[in-house]
Amino acid sequence: MNKSEMNNPHMDSPAKPCKAIKLILLLVAAVPLLAGCWDNKDINHRSLPVIMGISLTEENQYKVYLDIPATNETSSVSIVSETGDTINEIIDDISMNMETQVDLLHLKIVIADKRIARRGMEDIISAFNRSRDISAKTLFAISDQPLDQFFSEMQAKSEQSGSIIYDYFEKNAGWNPQLADTRVWQLFRSIHSYTHDVIVPIIRSGVSTSIECTGSAIIKNGRMTGQIGTDETLVANAFYGKSAFGKIEVMDSATVQITSNRLTHQSWLKDGKPYLRSHLRLKVTILDSRGHPTEAQINEKLEELLTLRLNKLFRKTQKEQADILALGQYFRKHLTREQLQEWRSGYYPNLDFKLSVTTVIENRGNLKNL
């Protein structure tokens, strides 16, 4: 090296090319770790159904209805339907014939026809869980009328609002404690549980209102075996701890509102027979009254009414061997897994269950004097 080169401060060092190569190799190695968005599809190219209806045709095929809200300012909905042998096949056919891709991840409610519910919904629930296209938190309901008629009337009523059905089940909008609240994952659990059945709301299009609830279906192993009324659904929700703000009319003398509830249980086995003693404690507030009943009289009548309803509900489900109150859960420590398999048919029909209800009137609501 001559003297001029040694004095040049801008001359490249031999180490710099090596450093640049190492940096390039490091960046190339990091490429597989990047998440990337290369396969994302624009939301304008997707259809996002909110409601799915499932019924059976005369040929014993599934017929699927999708309620797709419009994305423009009209707030209307589109109802598309297709028939096929499986749910996933039908969704693929609908997506193929639409200009946008059907995306079920935002589905909020699945409504099954009563005929399917009575036949059994195990295949449908299993398909939902296998495909993972539908969230396990999606609500489930049963229609009390043909789905053709139901969706036709809903589409006509959706001219003012495209989210009537969704709002009806929304806890911050239309949900009421007289309405069962059952999700897809709860149905899946009941199908595979030895001790836990569920209730599902039964709805139909209303006359003066958009939707009416006619009670709840008793679902045992994924199949509808019976039906209970809205009053029985309320006490079932009280047993589940979901009855807050539910209103109860007490023998035409007062109306009270549940503010909180607490349950305690004591279970044991004797000579192979299960015994369960439960205590339901409700805190209520008086909304209105007729005449001048005392708090003691209202308490007495309310406890008598709730005990009567819960015992009636228990006897009905015991006769149908459908444990919708999940009473078998309190015997898991007393029975082996093999014995629990016989819970519905062997132990539940012989269960000695006694329930006591205590109500506490916290205040008189907005009334100054009774």
Side-chain angles (χ1 to χ4, degrees):
M1 183 180 295
N2 55 36
K3 189 175 179 180
S4 62
E5 289 175 342
M6 291 181 64
N7 294 332
N8 185 1
H10 300 294
M11 180 180 176
D12 290 335
S13 168
K16 285 189 176 179
C18 184
K19 190 175 180 179
I21 292 172
K22 286 181 179 178
L23 183 60
I24 292 170
L25 290 175
L26 184 63
L27 291 174
V28 170
V31 168
L33 302 178
L34 300 177
C37 302
W38 58 272
D39 60 344
N40 274 7
K41 186 167 287 189
D42 192 279
I43 193 168
N44 293 328
H45 298 152
R46 292 173 182 264
S47 291
L48 305 173
V50 178
I51 318 292
M52 174 190 283
I54 306 172
S55 66
L56 278 179
T57 65
E58 294 297 327
E59 294 75 27
N60 213 29
Q61 284 187 310
Y62 290 121
K63 184 171 184 179
V64 171
Y65 303 78
L66 293 180
D67 181 317
I68 306 173
T71 54
N72 53 31
E73 296 179 353
T74 62
S75 298
S76 61
V77 298
S78 299
I79 306 293
V80 295
S81 63
E82 188 60 76
T83 58
D85 294 322
T86 65
I87 305 295
N88 286 302
E89 175 197 348
I90 296 169
I91 299 300
D92 279 346
D93 287 345
I94 292 175
S95 188
M96 177 181 67
N97 294 324
M98 291 183 66
E99 65 279 10
T100 52
Q101 182 182 1
V102 175
D103 189 337
L104 299 177
L105 284 176
H106 295 271
L107 196 72
K108 300 299 181 187
I109 303 162
V110 175
I111 303 174
D113 185 73
K114 217 169 185 178
R115 186 177 160 205
I116 284 187
R118 285 182 173 142
R119 195 190 72 164
M121 301 177 287
E122 183 175 355
D123 293 342
I124 297 172
I125 302 300
S126 297
F128 290 166
N129 282 279
R130 284 197 196 99
S131 66
R132 295 182 181 272
D133 289 335
I134 296 175
S135 169
K137 295 179 182 178
T138 305
L139 284 161
F140 211 93
I142 293 173
S143 173
D144 202 20
Q145 63 187 140
L147 286 185
D148 274 329
Q149 181 184 354
F150 180 82
F151 278 101
S152 175
E153 295 188 17
M154 284 302 107
Q155 188 173 23
K157 292 171 181 174
S158 297
E159 290 180 356
Q160 291 83 26
S161 173
S163 58
I164 290 176
I165 306 177
Y166 174 60
D167 290 341
Y168 182 76
F169 287 98
E170 176 61 33
K171 287 194 174 178
N172 295 324
W175 188 79
N176 190 283
Q178 277 88 353
L179 195 64
D181 176 17
T182 304
R183 314 278 168 162
V184 166
W185 70 266
Q186 290 170 312
L187 276 165
F188 184 79
R189 179 190 61 184
S190 75
I191 292 170
H192 299 281
S193 170
Y194 301 135
T195 58
H196 207 157
D197 295 310
V198 293
I199 53 175
V200 172
I202 301 175
I203 59 173
R204 60 179 299 122
S205 57
V207 178
S208 59
T209 58
S210 299
I211 301 174
E212 288 179 359
C213 178
T214 59
S216 301
I218 298 172
I219 306 295
K220 174 188 173 184
N221 288 332
R223 191 170 67 83
M224 179 178 172
T225 60
Q227 184 172 343
I228 59 176
T230 53
D231 287 342
E232 292 168 313
T233 303
L234 175 64
V235 295
N237 277 335
F239 208 84
Y240 301 150
K242 298 179 182 175
S243 63
F245 306 115
K247 298 180 181 66
I248 303 173
E249 189 176 347
V250 187
M251 306 296 183
D252 298 328
S253 60
T255 301
V256 299
Q257 184 178 47
I258 300 172
T259 56
S260 68
N261 53 0
R262 186 164 62 88
L263 261 172
T264 55
H265 304 278
Q266 184 181 5
S267 61
W268 70 93
L269 277 177
K270 185 178 180 182
D271 299 329
K273 183 177 180 178
Y275 292 82
L276 181 65
R277 301 291 179 265
S278 298
H279 180 217
L280 175 62
R281 180 184 173 88
L282 294 175
K283 289 183 179 178
V284 300
T285 181
I286 299 173
L287 296 180
D288 60 35
S289 64
R290 182 176 298 176
H292 301 281
T294 63
E295 287 188 2
Q297 289 173 326
I298 293 175
N299 255 332
E300 183 183 353
K301 289 180 178 179
L302 180 59
E303 290 171 5
E304 182 183 341
L305 177 67
L306 290 174
T307 304
L308 186 69
R309 284 184 185 174
L310 271 168
N311 283 332
K312 180 182 175 185
L313 177 64
F314 167 69
R315 285 194 298 273
K316 185 171 185 175
T317 57
Q318 190 180 35
K319 184 179 178 182
E320 296 175 3
Q321 299 181 7
D323 191 2
I324 62 169
L325 298 178
L327 302 181
Q329 296 290 102
Y330 305 105
F331 292 90
R332 285 188 167 271
K333 61 183 178 183
H334 303 299
L335 298 172
T336 64
R337 184 170 178 79
E338 289 72 24
Q339 290 173 319
L340 282 172
Q341 293 181 21
E342 307 297 327
W343 169 256
R344 288 189 180 97
S345 58
Y347 292 93
Y348 189 52
N350 298 316
L351 174 63
D352 187 323
F353 175 56
K354 289 185 180 175
L355 173 76
S356 58
V357 179
T358 302
T359 57
V360 178
I361 298 177
E362 283 198 317
N363 55 55
R364 299 180 179 185
N366 296 323
L367 296 178
K368 293 182 179 178
N369 297 301
L370 288 175

